[in-house]
Amino acid sequence: MRKIGIEFLKEGMKVARPVYNNNGQVLLNAGVLLNKKYISKLKELNIPALYIDDGLLPELEVDDIIAEETRVKAITTVKNIMNKASNCKMSKNIIIPEAVLDSINDILDDLLNNKNIMVNLTDIRSNDDYVFGHSVNVCVLALITGIAMGFPRKKLIDLAVGAILHDIGKMWVPKEILNKPGKLTREEFEVVKKHSEWGYEILRNKANVSIISCAAVYQHHERYNGQGYPQGLVGDQIHELAQIIGLVDMYDAVASNRVYRKAFPAHEAFELIAASGDYLFRYDIVEAFLDHVAAYPAGTLVLLNTGEHAVVVETPVGMSLRPKVKLLYDAEGNPITEKVYINLSEVVNITIKRLLEDDEIAALKRATS
């Protein structure tokens, strides 16, 4: 299986992972063959990509780090809370249900049962439901970082509550600003910047939200160099949990499709965060996060410096830029029929030169079919 952009979908391709709508219902299940109607509907719903099985990588499975039902339940819970917040401008009337803690505990249990956590799967969500899926992703990525840093469960729960609700204040941002496809004006951006303060206002004094979680929501756009908001805090003036949430929020934002731009490739998002240590975020936090994120997710097709074409099959923890690959085509474009694997963490003279684009992959398949 591999991920493919919506514009490259063809009739007859087999869906490799289920596609959900914004209510957590399955739109297309694994194993379904695509037709014109399905492809048209996916485009209509602004689904940016699909995991498909087109015969190129039949044995490769890319698993999420949490169960699908855990993720869907969490997204539905977040959506319900945020929709209620959007319809209520009085923070004291907004209730944070226990379902949030239930979802957080499910996510945490899934992660703690996963001995070698490595983020490989790119979450596919409609551009129209970005905030809800993003909130859950930020929660998952924040918990991965907290686990890597050895946090006890109570601290992980405080981190997760702040992470999954970090954008609740955006529900008070006018929709025409929040979903604007073009660049925001200075005045519009000042409104958006209010969301961290509004989020704090919504969550403070809630019995099931700690003051630490509230502080993390309030400070998640502060930056280590003092150039963040709302207070322009510097260095360790920023709470550790807020730094974690700010870091993974930035990573997931640049790695996701938005109404105003396409997602950065995973390796570019990785490099952006790698350059932020002791500049935007504390270095040890950046290091703990990146040790568990694949710069080249499993299923990514790459060109090696040898001229050979390969697919990434797995990435060891702590070796994010040096995955294990399987050779697919030689330097002349001929298929390699035997199974040849190279562990780049052990072979220093072979490197990944660049990603293969979907049209290049299609051309290789046509030339050898």
Side-chain angles (χ1 to χ4, degrees):
M1 63 183 283
R2 63 189 181 94
K3 192 174 82 167
I4 185 170
I6 194 79
E7 65 272 27
F8 293 100
L9 294 180
K10 304 290 185 186
E11 289 184 76
M13 286 182 173
K14 185 191 295 185
V15 178
R17 291 188 64 86
V19 181
Y20 298 90
N21 67 10
N22 55 13
N23 294 314
Q25 299 168 318
V26 176
L27 289 175
L28 288 176
N29 221 327
V32 170
L33 298 180
L34 293 176
N35 57 33
K36 284 184 179 179
K37 180 182 176 182
Y38 291 152
I39 295 171
S40 177
K41 188 63 176 178
L42 291 169
K43 290 178 179 177
E44 182 184 322
L45 292 172
N46 290 318
I47 303 293
L50 240 62
Y51 279 92
I52 57 101
D53 177 5
D54 62 353
L56 184 62
L57 310 170
E59 74 280 10
L60 182 64
E61 293 290 333
V62 186
D63 295 321
D64 201 344
I65 48 180
I66 61 173
E68 285 181 355
E69 55 267 31
T70 301
R71 185 180 291 278
V72 171
K73 175 185 171 183
I75 290 174
T76 303
T77 299
V78 169
K79 182 180 179 182
N80 290 337
I81 295 169
M82 290 197 173
N83 283 342
K84 289 176 182 176
S86 180
N87 296 326
C88 181
K89 298 302 181 184
M90 294 291 290
S91 60
K92 64 182 180 182
N93 295 330
I94 298 172
I95 297 172
I96 306 302
E98 289 302 310
V100 174
L101 290 176
D102 290 343
S103 282
I104 284 170
N105 279 298
D106 289 343
I107 292 169
L108 184 51
D109 288 342
D110 281 3
L111 293 176
L112 291 174
N113 288 328
N114 190 338
K115 299 302 181 185
N116 296 299
I117 302 173
M118 180 59 72
V119 178
N120 273 295
L121 187 75
T122 305
D123 181 34
I124 294 174
R125 50 187 175 252
S126 166
N127 295 333
D128 300 334
D129 296 315
Y130 170 78
V131 172
F132 313 128
H134 170 68
S135 296
V136 174
N137 246 20
V138 166
C139 180
V140 172
L141 297 173
L143 282 173
I144 290 170
T145 309
I147 291 168
M149 295 176 71
F151 289 179
R153 192 175 184 101
K154 173 62 171 66
K155 191 172 182 179
L156 290 171
I157 295 295
D158 285 339
L159 172 62
V161 171
I164 206 165
L165 298 174
H166 78 285
D167 269 348
I168 193 169
K170 282 189 176 177
M171 296 301 97
W172 287 2
V173 176
K175 289 285 195 297
E176 61 271 19
I177 295 178
L178 193 61
N179 298 322
K180 184 178 178 179
K183 185 177 180 180
L184 298 178
T185 65
R186 181 177 298 179
E187 293 77 16
E188 289 169 336
F189 185 53
E190 288 302 317
V191 174
V192 171
K193 285 167 66 175
K194 286 284 185 182
H195 80 273
S196 56
E197 298 174 69
W198 288 335
Y200 175 80
E201 181 64 27
I202 290 169
L203 298 176
R204 72 185 185 95
N205 299 325
K206 297 293 187 289
N208 53 355
V209 181
S210 73
I211 190 63
I212 295 173
S213 299
C214 290
V217 170
Y218 185 68
Q219 295 179 1
H220 77 275
H221 278 289
E222 300 285 1
R223 295 295 179 257
Y224 207 70
N225 61 4
Q227 295 181 4
Y229 62 85
Q231 292 180 295
L233 301 178
V234 178
D236 289 335
Q237 292 178 340
I238 309 165
H239 197 284
E240 182 178 50
L241 302 193
Q243 291 198 52
I244 293 172
I245 294 170
L247 185 155
V248 299
D249 174 42
M250 177 183 288
Y251 173 83
D252 191 65
V254 299
S256 304
N257 282 284
R258 307 297 299 274
V259 293
Y260 50 86
R261 62 150 175 80
K262 296 189 73 170
F264 283 41
H267 71 287
E268 291 183 12
F270 181 97
E271 290 166 2
L272 179 69
I273 297 301
S276 70
D278 281 349
Y279 176 63
L280 298 180
F281 310 101
R282 207 173 73 200
Y283 180 80
D284 64 310
I285 296 174
V286 172
E287 187 176 42
F289 171 66
L290 291 182
D291 275 350
H292 295 271
V293 175
Y296 302 97
T300 302
L301 278 85
V302 295
L303 176 66
L304 303 178
N305 64 335
T306 59
E308 295 163 308
H309 302 81
V311 60
V312 175
V313 293
E314 64 177 292
T315 303
V317 171
M319 302 300 294
S320 303
L321 291 164
R322 306 291 293 174
K324 180 179 179 181
V325 301
K326 178 188 175 186
L327 298 185
L328 296 178
Y329 299 92
D330 64 22
E332 285 71 46
N334 301 309
I336 298 174
T337 54
E338 64 272 21
K339 293 183 178 181
V340 180
Y341 296 92
I342 303 174
N343 192 335
L344 297 182
S345 64
E346 299 173 356
V347 184
V348 296
N349 63 326
I350 300 179
T351 60
I352 293 174
K353 188 173 181 180
R354 64 174 176 83
L355 304 186
L356 291 177
E357 301 294 336
D358 284 328
D359 55 350
E360 292 181 284
I361 298 167
L364 280 169
K365 287 188 67 182
R366 285 196 301 271
T368 56
S369 59

